[in-house]
Amino acid sequence: MKAPLIFTLMSIAITDAISTLDEAERRFNLTRTEDESFFLEWQADLPEISATEQAELDQLRRRYLYQRSTGQLLEGTVTLLLTSPLLAIAGFYDPPFRVRAEESVVLTLDDSEEVLQGRIDALVLLNQLWVVVLESKKTALSVWTALPQTLAYLMANPHPQQPSFGLLTNGDDILFVKLVQAESRFYSLSRVFAPFTSGRELYIVLQILKRIAQVIGE
């Protein structure tokens, strides 16, 4: 009697398997759309922010610029100084949201026997729906370097019928991404915001985060 065949799935780090935007689009069958109506959450119906919130953002930026003035900042420091406080001010640390740090992601590719694994810097959940991914990079790297692996993380959404949103930052720049995979798989990007250059950029980033929270809550 012949022994049964055993197939073993190969586990690969997401950062190794998906290192370019071309690889992410090809392996996940993703298409970037520039239809402005696809990603209105960063452009329209943005809520106002209070004077108190503006003051908190100003203080956050002063702290970041002070630490940044001595040189490049590592990924963990960017998360500590910028992304985590932004989540708190935007209300993502309060009900009904839940936060997970260094959350593990496992994703099986359709076109192979590979299993991709990685860890997300910060993950915000609402009713087990992945809604915001924060992927930070040290300031020496362009914010765009985080886009391929962030798309991979968003593809791991356990509720693919719902859109996923991501925030990518290296501290100096911030970029939003929206991914939809209900029928066809599309994603779109916001413009790049530069809080290192202007405090008003951080105001708009907070407005977008609050708008995304509203959309998801609805």
Side-chain angles (χ1 to χ4, degrees), residues 22-119:
D22 176 72
E23 287 175 332
E25 292 179 339
R26 176 174 51 83
R27 303 197 73 174
F28 298 127
N29 195 25
L30 280 170
T31 300
R32 177 178 173 180
T33 176
E34 296 188 359
D35 180 355
E36 292 188 359
S37 65
F38 180 84
F39 192 4
L40 289 175
E41 290 84 358
W42 77 271
Q43 305 174 76
D45 300 321
L46 299 181
E48 296 294 328
I49 60 175
S50 67
T52 299
E53 290 171 329
Q54 290 185 18
E56 290 177 322
L57 292 176
D58 291 342
Q59 184 182 52
L60 186 161
R61 183 169 178 268
R62 283 195 298 271
R63 287 173 176 166
Y64 176 80
L65 293 179
Y66 170 72
Q67 299 296 336
R68 180 70 170 85
S69 65
T70 59
Q72 304 291 342
L73 300 178
L74 297 178
E75 182 175 331
T77 307
V78 171
T79 300
L80 180 66
L81 289 174
L82 184 68
T83 53
S84 182
L86 266 176
L87 278 180
I89 298 172
F92 283 106
Y93 288 172
D94 302 315
F97 299 101
R98 300 286 183 180
V99 177
R100 302 287 184 269
E102 292 293 324
E103 186 78 1
S104 296
V105 172
V106 178
L107 180 64
T108 302
L109 294 179
D110 295 336
D111 63 351
S112 70
E113 296 179 351
E114 293 178 345
V115 174
L116 305 186
Q117 294 183 325
R119 288 186 179 274

Side-chain angles (χ1 to χ4, degrees), residues 112-174:
S112 70
E113 296 179 351
E114 293 178 345
V115 174
L116 305 186
Q117 294 183 325
R119 288 186 179 274
I120 301 174
D121 293 343
L123 175 66
V124 180
L125 304 97
L126 174 61
N127 298 327
Q128 299 304 306
L129 172 64
W130 298 21
V131 293
V132 176
V133 177
L134 296 182
E135 181 58 34
S136 59
K137 289 295 179 184
K138 61 184 180 180
T139 50
L141 299 176
S142 166
V143 69
W144 296 101
T145 62
L147 182 56
Q149 65 198 67
T150 299
L151 291 173
Y153 294 149
L154 293 176
M155 284 295 301
N157 185 343
H159 298 274
Q161 71 277 11
Q162 300 290 344
S164 299
F165 298 92
L167 182 154
L168 297 71
T169 183
N170 61 358
D172 294 353
D173 299 315
I174 295 175

Side-chain angles (χ1 to χ4, degrees), residues 157-203:
N157 185 343
H159 298 274
Q161 71 277 11
Q162 300 290 344
S164 299
F165 298 92
L167 182 154
L168 297 71
T169 183
N170 61 358
D172 294 353
D173 299 315
I174 295 175
L175 176 71
F176 289 93
V177 57
K178 177 181 180 179
L179 186 147
V180 172
Q181 52 177 322
E183 296 178 0
S184 299
R185 296 172 176 175
F186 291 98
Y187 75 95
S188 184
L189 306 172
S190 71
R191 75 168 175 86
V192 175
F193 297 90
F196 182 81
T197 304
S198 169
R200 292 198 59 81
E201 294 283 271
L202 211 50
Y203 296 170

